[in-house]
Amino acid sequence: MMHRREWLKRIGIFGTGLILSNSMFGKIVLSQINELEFSKKDFGENFLWGVAAAAYQTEGAWNVDGKGESTWDNFSREPKAIERGENADVAADFYHKFTEDIKMIKSLNFNVFRFSIAWTRILPKGTGEVNQKGLDFYHRVIDACLQEGLEPWITLYHWDLPQVLEAQGGWKNRKIIEWFTNYVDVVTKEFGAKVKNWMVLNEPLSYTGNGYMNGIFAPGEKSLSGFMRAVHHSVLCQAEGGRVIRKNVENANVGTTFVTTYVEPIDSNPKNVAAAKRMDAIMNRLFVEPSLGMGYPEDTVPILKKMRKYFEEGDEQKMAFDFDFIGVQYYFRTVAKKSVMPGMRAKEITAEERGVPRNEMNGEIYPEGLYHRLKAYSQYKGIKNLIVTENGTCVPDVLENGKIHDLERINYFKTHLAAILKAKREGVNVNGYFVWSPTDNFEWNKGFRTRFGLIYVNFETLERHIKDSGFWFQEFLK
Ligand code: GCO
């Protein structure tokens, strides 16, 4: 057996060393890993340490106990929608294995579990009759968390819209405000006594952009006007949802989450600098600014003026809500240059084209970007509290004798934690870090190919194995 210190050295708690990793991209020299210059204590006593997951990606049991069909159940059956033709009918089978998973999360010394509720388990037809078995399931999950001493943080919407509502236009239909607030009302009345931490939406840019404009996520549409309508209705739902939670849940901590990327121009050419500003406005400002009462960033991206077509009287006020916290979800940096493409008139120069260290989804590994993004959010007067509600990476994990030596992932966490600490020490009000994700799961259009978990899942047998990165957190959070 490996000596404990030797092993800790191996997973990088102790020791120095230049780690050369043989990933599928050839040899990448990761940054020098020195003895950790910080410990859990440096983040403060009240800092939250959690893991984050989502219903469609983990639960499986897609048609069990009265669950209705979601847009992702439907979309994943479209030929070529998902790499290798996979779907999440079973996924990590969290529906049946949640007790085991929650115990494992606790064993890694986290104190928060962020997960989402599947709208289709609660209201199989989107509206109308409530499915008791769906409510029962989430009661069991919440109770298991509370019993283990894990604080449940619930995301109300993580992209799995009831298909019956999509058939009526989904997020493009203004009626979504009524449908969504009704769903939020049912859920928060039911669980509000036990759960205090709520996130209204998960990354609205991702499901509106990839779902209604790029066509790579459910429902697979490619339309600029569809995208704009979906954006505006999401912004309204984000605020209205916040108001419903506030009304139903005593002492609620209400937030919503945004995907963020640090956008930089390829060079100092003013045209590329302007292009990067436009891209930043879409990627980083489109949802947060209206929620702060600042409207859409039309000055930077004039085409957004077209959104006004979808405004109704009073919308400007209705878009704003006083969130208790903003969830920051950071994975990579984006380098941009000018392009003739209408709209944003900017395009990305990929990490692959630039030949820089990247994850399996071609996202550039750039921890400083998280520092810059936290600083940028902290500039907004209206933001009270920042929680990093997602951060993580996919690397080609190899299971050898029940072990997974995912050093690249450990290095990713260390460097990103260092970036957060740097921001915190400079006064940024960031108070939590949630790893994406506890277990490997269904990564949307990539299917099961890309793994983000601290816990490896064999998708044939559904067996779980804690990866070295999971053990790293176990030590770090001890
Ligand atoms: C997102 C989602 C997660 C993803 C994760 C890894 O951020 O896109 O919230 O569902 O799985 O980000 O790509």
Side-chain angles (χ1 to χ4, degrees):
M1 218 171 93
M2 208 185 289
H3 188 271
R4 182 176 158 85
R5 195 173 166 98
E6 207 26 59
W7 179 78
L8 290 176
K9 195 167 171 177
R10 175 128 199 217
I11 64 170
I13 294 271
F14 290 119
T16 58
L18 200 62
I19 292 185
L20 285 176
S21 117
N22 252 319
S23 75
M24 63 192 291
F25 314 108
K27 278 209 163 130
I28 297 173
V29 181
L30 297 177
S31 53
Q32 176 95 35
I33 301 182
N34 292 313
E35 198 137 331
L36 263 198
E37 278 145 18
F38 54 84
S39 72
K40 179 189 173 190
K41 273 209 187 104
D42 294 303
F43 291 81
E45 265 201 21
N46 298 323
F47 198 85
L48 300 166
W49 296 96
V51 290
Y56 182 70
Q57 295 180 272
T58 57
E59 286 178 4
W62 79 283
N63 58 359
V64 171
D65 289 341
K67 181 182 167 295
E69 188 190 21
S70 79
T71 44
W72 274 91
D73 293 322
N74 182 279
F75 181 68
S76 62
R77 283 172 172 71
E78 300 266 322
K80 303 218 172 106
I82 314 293
E83 271 187 34
R84 311 191 296 196
E86 293 166 330
N87 62 50
D89 287 3
V90 178
D93 201 22
F94 178 82
Y95 193 80
H96 298 108
K97 292 186 167 283
F98 69 90
T99 319
E100 182 186 336
D101 286 353
I102 286 169
K103 283 205 161 91
M104 265 198 194
I105 294 167
K106 188 60 200 177
S107 81
L108 302 182
N109 292 325
F110 290 96
N111 51 25
V112 168
F113 179 29
R114 171 185 174 224
F115 58 91
S116 77
I117 287 189
W119 186 336
T120 49
R121 286 200 197 283
I122 309 295
L123 297 157
K125 299 232 150 50
T127 57
E129 210 176 316
V130 176
N131 176 30
Q132 187 58 44
K133 288 191 169 162
L135 296 177
D136 293 346
F137 169 65
Y138 291 109
H139 271 298
R140 291 197 298 275
V141 173
I142 292 164
D143 292 345
C145 288
L146 296 174
Q147 207 176 331
E148 289 295 327
L150 273 178
E151 202 173 55
W153 283 53
I154 295 187
T155 313
L156 284 154
Y157 184 74
H158 204 130
W159 311 355
D160 42 357
L161 190 72
Q163 182 60 30
V164 284
L165 300 182
E166 188 55 57
Q168 298 168 64
W171 287 97
K172 294 178 300 181
N173 186 339
R174 197 175 165 104
K175 274 211 180 131
I176 187 86
I177 303 171
E178 213 178 284
W179 302 329
F180 183 70
T181 48
N182 168 61
Y183 158 67
V184 175
D185 190 55
V186 171
V187 169
T188 52
K189 274 188 182 141
E190 181 74 25
F191 303 113
K194 292 179 184 175
V195 178
K196 298 298 165 193
N197 303 287
W198 295 89
M199 287 144 287
V200 181
L201 299 178
N202 181 72
E203 300 189 1
L205 179 68
S206 303
Y207 69 80
T208 55
N210 288 331
Y212 292 93
M213 191 161 69
N214 303 331
I216 58 169
F217 281 5
E221 292 178 10
K222 290 186 183 173
S223 142
L224 180 61
S225 66
F227 166 69
M228 287 192 176
R229 280 186 286 157
V231 168
H232 187 53
H233 300 148
S234 296
V235 166
L236 289 165
C237 282
Q238 185 173 262
E240 294 294 348
R243 283 185 270 276
V244 175
I245 303 170
R246 194 74 91 215
K247 171 171 72 76
N248 288 347
V249 184
E250 222 182 306
N251 300 321
N253 184 28
V254 188
T256 195
T257 72
F258 300 120
V259 63
T260 187
T261 174
Y262 180 49
V263 185
E264 285 196 293
I266 183 85
D267 56 30
S268 58
N269 179 333
K271 289 187 173 156
N272 293 332
V273 173
K277 281 223 170 80
R278 288 192 295 274
M279 191 179 271
D280 173 67
I282 297 294
M283 309 280 268
N284 292 319
R285 297 169 50 201
L286 189 60
F287 288 90
V288 67
E289 294 191 358
S291 84
L292 296 170
M294 300 162 69
Y296 295 112
E298 295 174 339
D299 292 351
T300 314
V301 187
I303 200 173
L304 291 176
K305 292 202 178 109
K306 290 199 174 168
M307 308 257 296
R308 289 180 180 258
K309 272 205 289 211
Y310 312 113
F311 275 46
E312 284 185 8
E313 175 97 35
D315 274 9
E316 223 126 347
Q317 289 73 42
K318 285 187 194 150
M319 295 193 304
F321 180 74
D322 189 20
F323 285 105
D324 298 310
F325 71 93
I326 291 302
V328 175
Q329 314 204 149
Y330 177 85
Y331 291 88
F332 50 80
R333 166 169 82 155
T334 305
V335 171
K337 83 185 237 195
K338 187 184 178 308
S339 104
V340 289
M341 259 223 316
M344 190 153 71
R345 292 180 292 120
K347 71 169 196 183
E348 187 195 345
I349 320 296
T350 66
E352 190 174 11
E353 289 168 279
R354 289 179 289 122
V356 292
R358 56 197 181 273
N359 70 17
E360 271 187 294
M361 284 161 72
N362 207 12
E364 182 187 357
I365 299 182
Y366 195 76
E368 295 85 341
L370 175 54
Y371 161 81
H372 291 300
R373 289 306 306 146
L374 289 170
K375 293 286 270 195
Y377 281 115
S378 74
Q379 302 297 308
Y380 289 111
K381 262 213 241 93
I383 296 184
K384 298 182 198 154
N385 183 16
L386 295 170
I387 305 284
V388 177
T389 39
E390 280 183 27
N391 178 239
T393 191
C394 48
V395 297
D397 290 318
V398 185
L399 176 69
E400 284 170 314
N401 308 321
K403 302 252 179 297
I404 299 93
H405 303 306
D406 55 341
L407 287 170
E408 284 184 64
R409 189 177 283 107
I410 295 172
N411 191 52
Y412 184 93
F413 290 132
K414 285 182 181 176
T415 49
H416 286 75
L417 286 173
I420 294 172
L421 192 56
K422 180 165 183 236
K424 195 166 170 65
R425 283 181 170 148
E426 289 173 19
V428 172
N429 196 26
V430 50
N431 295 298
Y433 179 79
F434 304 170
V435 171
W436 183 271
S437 191
T439 60
D440 291 334
N441 57 49
F442 184 84
E443 180 55 32
W444 309 112
N445 58 332
K446 304 276 179 247
F448 298 107
R449 182 176 63 79
T450 53
R451 295 171 177 272
F452 278 86
L454 297 175
I455 300 165
Y456 184 94
V457 176
N458 175 331
F459 290 106
E460 315 247 287
T461 63
L462 298 171
E463 254 176 339
R464 273 89 164 130
H465 301 275
I466 298 177
K467 302 179 192 177
D468 282 358
S469 56
F471 290 122
W472 184 83
F473 269 106
Q474 189 176 54
E475 271 304 305
F476 180 74
L477 297 179
K478 210 164 62 179

